[in-house]
Amino acid sequence: LPLLDSVLQGYHGTLLAYGQTGSGKTHTMLGPEGGTNVQAFTEEALHAGIIPRMMRELFARLHVLSAVEFRWSVQVTAYEIYCE
């Protein structure tokens, strides 16, 4: 995942969905039911949106890097602009 590769090298990353109302941006980004309660290796995880998948992968990579004395801090901001 090129975005995560760059973020882990210290760059800021942005994941953006843009499009017409009703085109499925929220579903794509969060998954069904807003991405709540998505646990790894479950049926729900197969349908997770981009954000839960990216977060799962990010923390999996950070866990591996932590084994070699890698220090990290994560700050995430999510916005949904509606009826703009």
Side-chain angles (χ1 to χ4, degrees), residues 77-81:
T77 304
Y79 293 104
E80 182 175 5
I81 301 171

Side-chain angles (χ1 to χ4, degrees), residues 3-55:
L3 179 60
L4 283 183
D5 294 338
S6 296
V7 166
L8 290 172
Q9 292 173 7
Y11 294 96
H12 292 253
T14 299
L15 184 60
L16 175 72
Y18 177 83
Q20 183 175 350
T21 298
S23 63
K25 298 174 298 297
T26 300
H27 182 81
T28 298
M29 297 298 275
L30 298 176
E33 300 179 22
T36 58
N37 298 322
V38 176
Q39 301 297 318
F41 310 113
T42 64
E43 182 66 27
E44 292 84 16
L46 296 175
H47 304 289
I50 294 170
I51 293 172
R53 290 171 189 246
M54 291 286 275
M55 292 295 97

